[in-house]
Amino acid sequence: GVHAAALRGYLAELRDALALARALRRTLVLPRWTCYVDKLWAGSDNIIGMGFMYPGSQDAPFLPFACPMDHVLSPAAWAKAEVDYRDAAILD
């Protein structure tokens, strides 16, 4: 779906941005991404039936929304890899 296609593009964008930041020895500013599904931190039996939103959030539709880093990437893995980065929010 839309989210999977967007994610593929985001990862390609991130690969290029990371390569450029490393080549220039600069801090990577993460790109702004849009989420088309909510990330569930706990299991749900019917996420598709809930419109890809966390159960209980259907009364206030919010999709799509600006993705926080941890919806797409693992902050722990980035810390372990010692990648110097900043969230796009620093540009606000």
Side-chain angles (χ1 to χ4, degrees):
V2 173
H3 184 72
L7 187 57
R8 281 190 298 276
Y10 298 158
L11 293 177
E13 182 180 72
L14 178 62
R15 176 200 61 221
D16 296 347
L18 183 56
L20 185 60
R22 284 189 171 172
L24 297 175
R25 295 187 176 140
R26 305 296 260 173
T27 298
L28 171 67
V29 176
L30 294 173
R32 294 182 193 273
W33 295 335
T34 300
C35 279
Y36 296 92
V37 299
D38 197 8
K39 179 168 179 149
L40 298 179
W41 300 104
S44 174
D45 294 333
N46 192 17
I47 186 64
I48 295 170
M50 302 301 266
F52 295 100
M53 293 186 279
Y54 201 85
S57 65
Q58 312 84 318
D59 296 337
F62 58 90
L63 295 175
F65 63 95
C67 287
M69 177 196 192
D70 64 355
H71 270 48
V72 181
L73 306 170
S74 167
W78 278 65
K80 185 177 179 183
E82 298 181 357
V83 174
D84 191 20
Y85 70 92
R86 300 293 179 269
D87 190 87
I90 68 164
L91 302 174
D92 291 340

